[in-house]
């Protein structure tokens, strides 16, 4: 069986980022899964991950305190070489997208991004904002991938893994330096993990009060279209789409969003889609299970009241 | 400061892409082509930086003769020189990055700015491969500290900030959960996100001038790069369409449907 190495990602608070567990599920379809954890002190996170994989390689070092591709790529590539990994991958988060091609370059490996399915050695991935699905094969000895987390379930504990600590050599690289991380804190559920997402578009004219109130009523995350993030009405981090977050909740409510293909690319895998738009011809209605032609400023408060009453 | 940017030719993002009957390619009839939107942002950022730190802006595109259109577009925006890597046939990200590496070694720019991804292949890889193979620092997903409606944007202030003595650049990056700021020692590789800037239109005089700006030709063979693809696309297909939904007349009906039919609330 092939050996697969998965790069573990931590949340800003140091806890395991759930997306890693989706990546492990994909990796299990390719072979025996090892994981690599990199941190100033990797032991706690490694202990958390060990139940999901065969071996966790826990690399600790002062130079790994902040994630930096230049410090992480050599450490990941060294572990991959030491265990003869045929596959190396991570979740297609912003960190995974930044890191994995650099790891691949170090290993002279070809890479498939955002994989949606694994069939033997054939990987399925989206192109043209998901308008096309491609099946690809990679012909380099070592192969890299990043995983579209919405397409793979969270891994369950397989039990019995071991932790192997190692000390990644300090790279001595000086060409990239971490300056700061400005966290956008939100009390709402994380967009990519929420069961319900309520998103607003340009139709909100920047007024997200009703979007947020409905989200809170449903314990949902808030999302947005590019138009909203470009205008600075909502943080960039909330953009759903081809170049933002990909979500697949049980329920996705799109209010004042026209439904451009680039937006659909990030939400059309949702189980149920509700669209609220005052233009009956808006393309969003073509993917909506339930469409309501209405002014969002009128419909959203009504919807919130009706849901509250129906509890 | 000398800056190298990329200008890939891609289908217009507004086009409707369809897979051909053989499942090997897309239907090309009636498609319009453009510079990759992220690359246009890269050209714009380079021009703004060059306005403050004078130097050449070199635009590179790899492909057949048709990519002259994208190179001329970059020149019309204000780039000073174009490099065309004449190549027909498939290429993968490793091939593109190896070719760009050779061009960088020839041109010796202080900064390379690429799009974070192409809107056709959507791989989001080339900049990172290039940075590793050059042994340079990378800042992917470059964004602006303030919004695209801000005064800074109206005044064309670059989002990529050059440090004293032009030895470093600071880059604000869009990452999960917020914004990250990195400081890179030059030379370095930056890839653009959507919110780095609003690209200018090419002016008529710009378009006229572009015609006489230098366009240099290179080939993979001449650069000594083996571009045989390591990625094979075995099949293309269209994703299954979502089952057609219904329009509901009012909020009450919507709530009933969500409760009893979809069972999601
Ligand atoms: C390279 C590239 C990448 C992109 N990536 C993304 C991406 O990741 N995510 C993304 O979202 N977009 C992306 N886009 C942009 C995309 O093409 C659209 O421009 C964008 O999604 C439009 O946002 P919108 O639907 O909010 O705005 P609009 O298209 O302007 O739609 C606003 C809608 O609101 C409706 N409306 C107005 N007022 C009301 C009201 N009072 N009540 C109800 N409805 C109302 C209107 O009828 C209209 O349908 C990308 C584009 C490019 C070129
Ligand atoms: C079915 C299929 C058929 C193909 N046929 C051809 C073909 O006939 N001819 C061909 O040349 N390629 C062909 N390709 C290759 C493909 O279009 C990409 O150019 C290549 O794989 C690079 O990947 P990317 O653009 O997705 O990389 P990404 O990593 O997403 O791109 C990031 C950045 O790299 C830069 N970049 C990428 N490509 C170029 C380029 N060509 N010139 C300048 N900058 C670039 C851009 O700045 C871009 O923003 C084909 C791909 C597929 C899937």
């Amino acid at each position: 069986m092939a050996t697969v190495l998965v790069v573990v990602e931590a949340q800003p608070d140091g806890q395991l980022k759930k997306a890693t567990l989706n990546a492990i599920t994909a990796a299990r379809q390719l072979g025996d899964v090892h994981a690599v954890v990199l941190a100033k002190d990797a032991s706690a996170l490694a202990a958390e991950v060990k139940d999901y994989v065969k071996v966790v390689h826990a690399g600790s070092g002062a130079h790994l305190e902040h994630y930096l591709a230049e410090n992480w790529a050599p450490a990941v590539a060294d572990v991959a070489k030491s265990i003869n990994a045929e596959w190396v991958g991570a979740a297609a988060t912003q960190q995974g997208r930044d890191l994995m091609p650099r790891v691949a370059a170090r290993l002279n490996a070809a890479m498939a991004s955002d994989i949606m399915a694994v069939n033997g050695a054939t990987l399925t991935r989206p192109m043209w904002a998901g308008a096309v699905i491609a099946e690809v094969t990679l012909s380099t000895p070592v192969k890299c991938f990043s995983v579209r987390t919405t397409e793979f379930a969270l891994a369950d504990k397989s039990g019995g893994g071991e932790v192997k600590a190692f000390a990644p050599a300090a790279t001595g690289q000086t060409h990239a330096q971490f300056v700061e991380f400005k966290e956008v804190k939100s009390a709402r559920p994380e967009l990519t993990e929420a069961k319900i997402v309520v998103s607003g578009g340009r139709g909100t004219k920047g007024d997200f009060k009703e979007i947020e109130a409905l989200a809170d009523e449903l314990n949902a995350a808030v999302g947005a279209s590019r138009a909203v993030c470009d205008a600075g009405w909502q943080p960039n981090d909330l953009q759903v789409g081809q170049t933002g977050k990909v979500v697949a909740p049980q329920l996705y409510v799109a209010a004042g969003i026209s439904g451009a293909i680039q937006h659909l690319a990030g939400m059309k895998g949702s189980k149920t889609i509700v669209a609220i738009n005052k233009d009956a011809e808006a393309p969003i209605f073509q993917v909506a299970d339930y469409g309501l032609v209405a002014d969002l400023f009128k419909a959203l408060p009504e919807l919130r009241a009706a849901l509250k009453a129906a509890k | 400061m000398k800056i190298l940017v990329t200008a890939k030719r891609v289908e217009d993002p507004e086009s409707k892409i369809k897979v051909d009957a053989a499942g090997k390619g897309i239907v090309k009839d009636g498609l319009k082509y453009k510079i990759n939107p992220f690359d246009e942002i890269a050209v714009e950022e380079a021009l703004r930086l060059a306005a403050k730190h004078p130097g050449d802006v070199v635009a590179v595109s790899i492909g057949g003769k048709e990519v002259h259109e994208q190179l001329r577009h970059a020149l019309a925006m204000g780039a000073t020189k174009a490099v065309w890597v004449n190549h027909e046939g498939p290429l993968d990200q490793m091939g593109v990055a190896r070719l760009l590496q050779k061009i960088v070694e020839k041109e010796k720019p202080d900064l390379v700015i690429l799009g974070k991804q192409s809107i056709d292949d959507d791989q989001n890889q080339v900049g990172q491969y290039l940075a590793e193979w050059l042994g340079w620092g990378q800042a992917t997903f470059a964004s602006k500290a303030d919004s695209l409606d801000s005064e800074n944007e109206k005044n064309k202030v670059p989002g990529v900030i050059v440090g004293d003595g032009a030895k470093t650049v600071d880059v604000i990056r869009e990452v999960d959960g917020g914004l990250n700021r990195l400081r890179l020692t030059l030379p370095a590789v930056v890839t653009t996100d959507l919110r780095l800037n609003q690209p200018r239109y090419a002016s008529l005089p710009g378009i006229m001038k572009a015609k006489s700006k230098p366009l240099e030709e290179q080939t993979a063979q001449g650069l000594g790069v083996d571009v045989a693809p390591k990625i094979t696309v075995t099949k293309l297909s269209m994703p299954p369409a979502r089952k057609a939904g219904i329009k509901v007349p009012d909020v009450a009906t919507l709530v009933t449907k969500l409760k009893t039919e979809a069972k999601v609330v």
Side-chain angles (χ1 to χ4, degrees), chain B residues 166-182:
Chain B
K167 297 260 186 288
T168 60
V169 288
D170 273 25
V171 182
I172 311 283
R173 307 176 53 233
E174 291 196 11
V175 298
D176 290 330
L179 293 173
N180 162 230
R181 187 183 184 116
L182 288 185

Side-chain angles (χ1 to χ4, degrees), chain B residues 75-222:
Chain B
L75 293 172
M77 284 175 73
T80 37
K81 170 183 157 181
V83 177
W84 168 39
V85 183
N86 183 355
H87 178 79
E88 301 279 352
L91 262 181
D92 60 18
Q93 290 69 36
M94 296 173 89
V96 171
R98 284 286 184 214
L99 292 170
L100 291 177
Q101 183 188 355
K102 289 290 175 197
I103 303 290
V104 168
E105 284 163 6
K106 274 182 185 293
E107 294 286 334
K108 299 190 175 52
D110 301 293
L111 185 64
V112 180
I113 313 181
L114 310 87
K116 77 163 179 182
Q117 78 192 61
S118 307
I119 60 154
D120 51 0
D121 263 19
D122 279 337
Q123 284 269 55
N124 193 335
Q125 299 176 359
V126 169
Q128 297 89 313
Y129 271 101
L130 179 64
E132 172 64 27
W133 283 337
L134 289 166
W136 294 4
Q138 75 186 41
T140 51
F141 327 141
S143 194
K144 223 186 173 62
D146 36 19
S147 87
L148 289 184
D149 285 348
S150 66
E151 281 306 307
N152 270 346
E153 181 54 29
K154 282 180 196 125
N155 296 323
K156 298 208 182 317
V157 175
V160 173
I161 304 141
V162 178
D164 287 341
K167 297 260 186 288
T168 60
V169 288
D170 273 25
V171 182
I172 311 283
R173 307 176 53 233
E174 291 196 11
V175 298
D176 290 330
L179 293 173
N180 162 230
R181 187 183 184 116
L182 288 185
R183 182 160 303 152
L184 303 178
T185 303
L186 294 173
V189 173
V190 169
T191 76
T192 61
D193 219 314
L194 293 171
R195 276 169 285 278
L196 182 57
N197 63 47
Q198 209 117 49
R200 70 194 63 191
Y201 292 105
S203 66
L204 198 57
I207 294 169
M208 296 312 291
K209 261 199 231 155
K211 293 187 176 145
S212 56
K213 286 182 181 173
L215 191 152
E216 177 187 310
E217 181 179 343
Q218 298 281 353
T219 60
Q221 216 181 5

Side-chain angles (χ1 to χ4, degrees), chain A residues 200-205 224-228 239-245 255-266 276-280 282-284 294-297, chain B residues 13-14 36-38 119 194:
Chain A
R202 202 195 311 267
T204 62
K205 301 197 174 61
S225 70
R226 175 187 174 184
V228 166
Q239 180 179 313
V240 172
Q242 177 188 18
T243 53
K245 297 257 159 46
I257 293 178
S258 62
I261 178 159
Q262 293 88 0
H263 187 79
L264 303 187
I276 301 174
N277 196 304
K278 65 179 183 188
D279 173 9
I284 189 76
D295 184 328
L296 69 93
F297 293 105
Chain B
E14 308 275 320
N36 184 33
F38 291 93
I119 60 154
L194 293 171

Side-chain angles (χ1 to χ4, degrees), chain B residues 31 69 127 159 172 215 252 254:
Chain B
L31 283 183
E69 250 180 83
I172 311 283
L215 191 152
L254 175 59

Side-chain angles (χ1 to χ4, degrees), chain A:
Chain A
M1 249 232 228
T3 300
V4 189
L5 180 64
V6 172
V7 184
V8 174
E9 182 171 345
Q11 298 176 356
D13 64 5
Q15 302 276 315
L16 177 65
K17 186 157 181 147
K18 282 216 184 91
T20 303
L21 296 179
N22 305 104
I24 288 174
T25 298
R28 283 180 184 166
Q29 298 176 27
L30 290 163
D32 275 339
V33 183
H34 289 225
V36 53
V37 176
L38 299 173
K40 192 169 168 201
D41 177 357
S43 52
L45 192 51
E48 202 179 338
V49 174
K50 91 175 167 21
D51 293 337
Y52 297 94
V53 298
K54 203 167 166 189
V55 184
V56 185
H57 304 269
S60 305
H63 68 296
L64 302 170
E65 178 175 4
H66 298 292
Y67 163 76
L68 269 180
E70 290 78 352
N71 287 337
W72 283 46
V76 173
D78 286 350
V79 173
K81 282 182 204 150
S82 75
I83 62 171
N84 252 322
E86 184 180 336
W87 297 91
V88 186
T93 55
Q94 290 292 80
Q95 180 178 308
R97 288 171 175 157
D98 181 59
L99 173 67
M100 284 314 304
R102 189 143 189 154
V103 171
R106 241 186 133 79
L107 295 167
N108 267 313
M111 173 167 169
S113 300
D114 273 292
I115 64 167
M116 304 167 70
V118 175
N119 187 354
T122 301
L123 308 175
T124 301
R125 57 176 304 274
M127 289 185 184
W128 285 281
V132 174
I133 305 296
E135 290 178 15
V136 304
T137 55
L138 311 178
S139 64
T140 44
V142 183
K143 305 160 190 65
C144 291
F145 60 96
S146 66
V147 175
R148 177 162 281 202
T149 55
T150 53
E151 303 297 320
F152 297 90
L154 295 172
D156 46 14
K157 294 192 179 179
S158 54
E162 60 171 314
V163 175
K164 283 190 182 162
F166 74 108
T171 47
Q173 70 89 7
T174 51
H175 44 245
Q177 192 189 328
F178 174 91
V179 181
E180 64 172 357
F181 171 57
K182 271 206 191 131
E183 195 175 352
V184 182
K185 281 223 165 63
S186 162
R188 297 195 182 84
E190 154 87 30
L191 185 52
T192 51
E193 293 169 11
K195 294 210 162 52
I196 302 181
V197 174
V198 182
S199 283
R202 202 195 311 267
T204 62
K205 301 197 174 61
D207 179 356
F208 258 56
K209 271 202 290 301
E210 288 304 333
I211 301 279
E212 288 169 350
L214 180 62
D216 291 341
E217 175 62 32
L218 292 167
N219 189 26
V222 167
S225 70
R226 175 187 174 184
V228 166
C229 299
D230 277 8
W233 296 339
Q234 290 292 319
N236 303 336
D237 193 38
L238 297 189
Q239 180 179 313
V240 172
Q242 177 188 18
T243 53
K245 297 257 159 46
V246 179
V247 301
Q250 293 292 305
L251 173 62
Y252 188 91
V253 181
I257 293 178
S258 62
I261 178 159
Q262 293 88 0
H263 187 79
L264 303 187
M267 45 65 80
K268 67 180 179 189
S270 306
K271 185 164 168 276
T272 299
I273 297 173
V274 170
I276 301 174
N277 196 304
K278 65 179 183 188
D279 173 9
E281 303 301 316
I284 189 76
F285 287 123
Q286 290 164 18
V287 300
D289 299 282
Y290 305 114
L292 179 64
V293 181
D295 184 328
L296 69 93
F297 293 105
K298 205 170 149 282
L300 288 177
E302 265 180 58
L303 180 56
R304 176 161 47 96
L307 286 167
K308 202 170 188 153
K311 252 191 192 163

